[in-house]
Amino acid sequence: MSTKYEELFNISYDGEGELIVNHSMDSQLVASSILALNSIYKEAFNEAQKIYRDKLDITLYLDANEASKGFEQGSLKWLLRLVGLQYETQTNITNVVYFKKVQQAIVTVIKLLKRLRFNDAVIKITQTKEGYALEIDEESVLLDEIEYAILSNENIRVGIAKLSEPLLKDGLETFELNSNSESSFTINKEEARNLFIKRSHKTILDEGEFEDVFYIETLSYNPEAKWKLISTTDKKKTISATIIDTHFLKRVSLNQEKFSKDDLLKARISYYAQKAKHTGKTVYTYSIIEILEHIPVSGDQGKLL
């Protein structure tokens, strides 16, 4: 036994170009658009399965029935049917409310991507106690977990770009997805240019500063290179950090500081933790913002490497 959930999408591209007026469109663009929608919804529900820990089998069908007749002038339309199947042996979380929630989250993400400035190359999100905060138009927009997972999924962003690509052609003006629920959305030509931009993403999970005393494990004369340091308070804690203390770097360049392996550095460190997507690995970045004290291991110092 299984429970079925369905949603019917009416898809259309509209415009005043010669092809679209005659209900025609480059078949490669149509195929790319259908594949993009398939990717967007498949990836979004894959993210939902990881969050809700409840498997819902999702399939997107191209429907060719009586409801697909009746083209309006200057448009090309087709129907897609989203079907979700859930088996009774699974947890059936609140009757799979996330079948609708995922669709609504996709609409929210598209609206947010439309608002990004043309030159915003990085989507920066910060994890807070309330959720995930996206800085956009000098406003902090709070995302829930599924909205964040969808926004941080590069395959979904690529799918949205592919969906927008036909609108970059002359004669096509709008894309529209209509449904019987709150999952409808539109994209116009101006918005398409913004959605087609390839953007990277990073999520700041944590950031701050701390002080500690470290053994110097490896060091470098190159100011852009990272120093490997081992904490004296926790020998299991090893960090690789770039020194950005300009006064210290100046002393090094003037040969006023000389070091050996196992010398001690008391330093103030800034850090931030980030990941590239919701299910990605957390990566820590450290910077030495101030050298508070250099403690030689012996009086016989070797030269800085």
Side-chain angles (χ1 to χ4, degrees), residues 238-269:
T238 300
I239 67 171
S240 293
T242 303
I243 297 179
I244 59 174
D245 182 340
T246 55
H247 297 293
F248 175 79
L249 292 173
K250 184 177 180 179
R251 295 198 304 272
V252 170
S253 66
L254 295 174
N255 206 28
Q256 294 175 350
E257 293 277 0
K258 297 180 180 180
F259 299 87
S260 289
K261 180 178 179 298
D262 292 333
D263 277 5
L264 299 180
L265 283 182
K266 183 178 182 181
R268 186 158 59 94
I269 311 289

Side-chain angles (χ1 to χ4, degrees), residues 108 111-112 115 124-126 128 131-144 147-148 151:
T108 298
K111 287 179 179 178
L112 291 173
R115 291 178 57 190
K124 182 180 177 181
I125 299 173
T126 304
T128 68
Y132 298 88
L134 170 67
E135 295 297 324
I136 183 169
D137 293 336
E138 298 182 353
E139 175 191 354
S140 182
V141 179
L142 196 64
L143 308 174
D144 63 24
E147 291 167 345
Y148 159 63
L151 180 58

